[in-house]
Amino acid sequence: MELNNVKDVPSAALTHEVTPGATPDGTFDATSDDTSVDVLIAGAGPTGLALGIDLARRGIRALIVERQDRLSQGARGTGLQPRTQEVYDDLGVLDAVRAAGGLYPPRATWEDGRIVATHEMLEHVDPTPSTPHSNAWMIPQWRNLELLHERLWELDGSILFGTELIDFTQDSDGVQARLRRTDGSVRTLRAAYLVAADGGRSTVRKALGIGMSGPSLTPSAVVLSDVAVDGLDRDHWHSWPLPNGGFVTLLPLAGTDHFQCFTMDPDREPDTSPEAVRDRIAAGTHLARDQIREVLWASVYRPKAAMADRYRTGRVFLAGDAAHIHSPAGGQGLNTSVQDGYNLGWKLGQVLRHGAPDALLDSYETERRPIAARILDTSTRLHRSRSMRRGKDLHQLDIGYPDSPLTRELREDVPEDALHAGDRAPDAPCTTADGTPTHLFDAFRGPHFTLLALGDTALNPASPPTGSALPPTDPALLRTVRVGGPSPDLIDTDGHIANAYGTAPAVFLIRPDGYLALAAPAENAAAHVAASLAHLAPSAHWEARLGAGTPQPAR
């Protein structure tokens, strides 16, 4: 495949490598014989980088290895759904992503050299107090990767480009992997866990013998390219239907002066050479060939849909495209993949840093595989219908884990439309005790659990009875935020917290990935919280706390 790409990644992406062998500053030394890490991640795409960031901020020694000698090129998947924006906010990359991207423009349909119809392909939704990010955000994937990589670098995360995972073995204590550099040298690395984020053709998945199955999609090939075009406005997502059922689209890429082009022409063989791309665009649009000034990158895409039969084998996990592949219809694949890494990251942190049992990691597949199945159904339906509608049902804000073994809903008679354990924890504007404006998301941000105590609970009474309070905890593990009551940390000035979480005194234990692990009444709150945390992060003081009360069983 001939590619002509002038979008160079920052020099950091090529030179800021850290290599196997522990050093005092937490990076790695290629000359060292001590080649061990906590987590080895195969693949530096959005999944691997997001997971690497999450582990780095937890102090977990992780190494990402990437077969290519640089970050992947091409705009590829351009849309970040609102839920992924919340993830990026927590990981510390959202501000940079917002500055580098923009909203999608309306779609314009062309016939005979003129626009004959326009429509909003993506439904625009106003933000609310509970949902500050309410619309898909466009950013080219190459730029998305750059910003994730820069954040990984800020956190002293470790990545090796030009390094291929060639094979591995595992035992009850870890994984032994062989890595080959571009110079042909081979090194052996020991890791407690291996995460395959190495794409739809995953080497790791194939080595494990894990199958993939899914619905069949129309086998037509799409040529995907990034191009510089003269004489075309940047206020529309331009579309030209072809008489044979094919199409050409040109999307102005936010933050650049380029367009992303999709061409599907059943009468032409896919060809990614710059000349063929120019010919293909000119043949299907009113644009002259010389108006396609430059072809920066091109690739052939054949839609597929499948899901791995399982996500875990021993100490090896599948994430992102290695676990599920989707039609691009609906913009779900990249977003689902990033959230895979976000779900797995905090659980690896609990096991490796806080002593949680390895069995906690089984909940990764239990929680994420049904989500992938649901999204696979959605993207396949949109692909087959060729529907251009993109509504808020694709925003992934309704994803939750009510049936997870980690979820405990202990309140009685909660209305169906109210917030429940397992749901996403909503945001809410509020103030600190001194009147400074803030948000719940500001309190949640970081790798810790958050205990949200609303009203006069057993954790926040005027005179705490003996045994009603939790023992002192490591802020890296748990932070308590009291709303209302005699000594609040936050004031619900305008009632937005009550609107989102209810008015009754209650406690909510919010996982590091922003979902409610526990919703419990005010009575016996400390014992309920201790019971949840004893499962997620075993500790002598949680066990001691359980003696102060008998928690109700999870439902």
Side-chain angles (χ1 to χ4, degrees):
M1 179 186 301
E2 181 180 352
L3 301 180
N4 179 23
N5 193 309
V6 298
K7 291 194 291 286
D8 291 332
V9 296
S11 59
L14 300 179
T15 61
H16 182 69
E17 298 187 335
V18 287
T19 53
T23 64
D25 64 1
T27 61
F28 299 88
D29 175 10
T31 64
S32 171
D33 292 331
D34 178 16
T35 53
S36 63
V37 294
D38 294 320
V39 181
L40 175 63
I41 303 168
T47 312
L49 289 171
L51 176 58
I53 290 168
D54 202 15
L55 295 176
R57 67 179 183 155
R58 297 173 189 282
I60 303 299
R61 293 187 341 120
L63 173 65
I64 303 173
V65 293
E66 169 55 50
R67 177 178 54 83
Q68 301 180 102
D69 63 2
R70 60 188 294 163
L71 297 170
S72 292
Q73 306 171 71
R76 302 176 189 266
T78 59
L80 295 181
Q81 299 294 353
R83 177 56 189 157
T84 303
Q85 294 171 52
E86 294 179 355
V87 173
Y88 275 25
D89 182 16
D90 184 42
L91 296 180
V93 76
L94 182 61
D95 287 348
V97 165
R98 299 285 293 186
L103 294 172
Y104 284 84
R107 190 165 182 125
T109 302
W110 287 77
E111 289 181 10
D112 300 324
R114 64 188 182 90
I115 295 175
V116 297
T118 62
H119 71 280
E120 294 287 355
M121 195 175 89
L122 280 73
E123 176 187 357
H124 285 263
V125 179
D126 291 333
T128 68
S130 64
T131 308
H133 312 296
S134 56
N135 292 289
W137 193 253
M138 187 210 316
I139 183 170
Q141 188 166 315
W142 61 266
R143 184 62 178 139
N144 185 2
L145 292 176
E146 286 182 355
L147 296 176
L148 290 170
H149 180 269
E150 289 170 12
R151 178 60 176 153
L152 181 72
W153 190 5
E154 289 174 359
L155 295 169
D156 294 323
S158 305
I159 186 168
L160 274 174
F161 291 96
T163 304
E164 181 181 10
L165 173 63
I166 53 177
D167 57 45
F168 62 92
T169 59
Q170 61 172 313
D171 52 42
S172 60
D173 297 320
V175 178
Q176 195 89 353
R178 289 200 307 150
L179 310 176
R180 180 167 55 213
R181 301 299 305 270
T182 50
D183 62 5
S185 62
V186 176
R187 297 295 300 272
T188 299
L189 182 99
R190 182 78 177 174
Y193 297 97
L194 167 63
V195 179
D198 53 345
R201 300 174 181 173
S202 172
T203 299
V204 175
R205 187 189 68 239
K206 292 175 182 176
L208 292 171
I210 297 177
M212 292 190 85
S213 59
S216 61
L217 300 180
T218 306
S220 54
V222 175
V223 175
L224 180 64
S225 58
D226 297 351
V227 296
V229 176
D230 293 326
L232 196 64
D233 76 71
R234 300 185 63 82
D235 299 324
H236 297 93
W237 185 343
H238 303 276
S239 175
W240 294 262
L242 302 181
N244 60 8
F247 59 84
V248 178
T249 68
L250 284 165
L251 169 67
L253 292 167
T256 78
D257 60 357
H258 306 141
F259 289 78
Q260 182 182 51
C261 181
F262 287 83
T263 61
M264 197 279 281
D265 187 343
D267 298 334
R268 289 174 177 259
E269 286 297 316
D271 186 339
T272 59
S273 68
E275 296 308 306
V277 171
R278 286 188 176 92
D279 289 341
R280 205 173 174 101
I281 296 173
T285 74
H286 68 279
L287 298 170
R289 195 176 181 282
D290 59 5
Q291 287 181 272
I292 298 91
R293 178 165 30 93
E294 190 172 10
V295 179
L296 298 104
W297 173 87
S299 181
V300 176
Y301 174 76
R302 290 180 172 83
K304 295 180 181 178
M307 186 171 64
D309 296 338
R310 59 184 186 276
Y311 280 19
R312 180 183 189 183
T313 298
R315 288 180 168 263
V316 184
F317 299 87
L318 306 182
D321 286 355
H324 46 80
I325 50 178
H326 308 257
S327 163
Q332 302 291 285
L334 181 152
N335 294 273
T336 305
S337 297
V338 165
Q339 292 173 52
D340 284 347
Y342 193 53
N343 182 286
L344 182 58
W346 75 266
K347 295 171 182 177
L348 286 168
Q350 290 303 112
V351 171
L352 291 166
R353 186 174 180 186
H354 294 292
D358 177 87
L360 173 64
L361 299 172
D362 289 335
S363 68
Y364 166 64
E365 176 174 329
T366 301
E367 292 183 345
R368 293 303 298 169
R369 197 167 181 274
I371 299 300
R374 170 188 137 181
I375 290 173
L376 189 67
D377 289 343
T378 299
S379 58
T380 299
R381 172 176 51 80
L382 291 171
H383 177 91
R384 289 173 173 169
S385 69
R386 300 186 72 170
S387 169
M388 295 294 103
R389 177 191 167 276
R390 301 292 182 267
K392 61 182 181 181
D393 55 319
L394 302 178
H395 289 177
Q396 301 195 351
L397 293 167
D398 60 344
I399 287 173
Y401 308 115
D403 300 321
S404 169
L406 308 184
T407 297
R408 293 169 177 249
E409 175 57 73
L410 303 181
R411 298 167 299 165
E412 299 285 352
D413 302 321
V414 181
E416 187 68 27
D417 59 351
L419 188 70
H420 289 76
D423 291 344
R424 159 191 167 271
D427 193 15
C430 50
T431 69
T432 60
D434 65 4
T436 303
T438 187
H439 285 256
L440 282 185
F441 276 5
D442 294 327
F444 300 163
R445 189 179 298 111
H448 56 274
F449 286 84
T450 304
L451 178 58
L452 187 64
L454 303 185
D456 194 2
T457 71
L459 299 178
N460 192 17
S463 301
T466 302
S468 68
L470 289 168
T473 58
D474 179 356
L477 173 63
L478 176 68
R479 298 181 187 178
T480 299
V481 177
R482 296 172 173 84
V483 180
S487 53
D489 302 299
L490 299 178
I491 307 297
D492 190 14
T493 313
D494 298 312
H496 295 307
I497 297 177
N499 288 340
Y501 290 83
T503 57
V507 291
F508 299 91
L509 180 64
I510 298 157
R511 300 170 9 165
D513 61 349
Y515 292 91
L516 301 182
L518 169 72
E523 297 78 18
N524 210 17
H528 293 314
V529 174
S532 285
L533 286 170
H535 180 59
L536 297 167
S539 168
H541 64 234
W542 302 133
E543 294 170 6
R545 185 68 215 88
L546 286 174
T550 303
Q552 300 176 34
R555 290 181 298 172

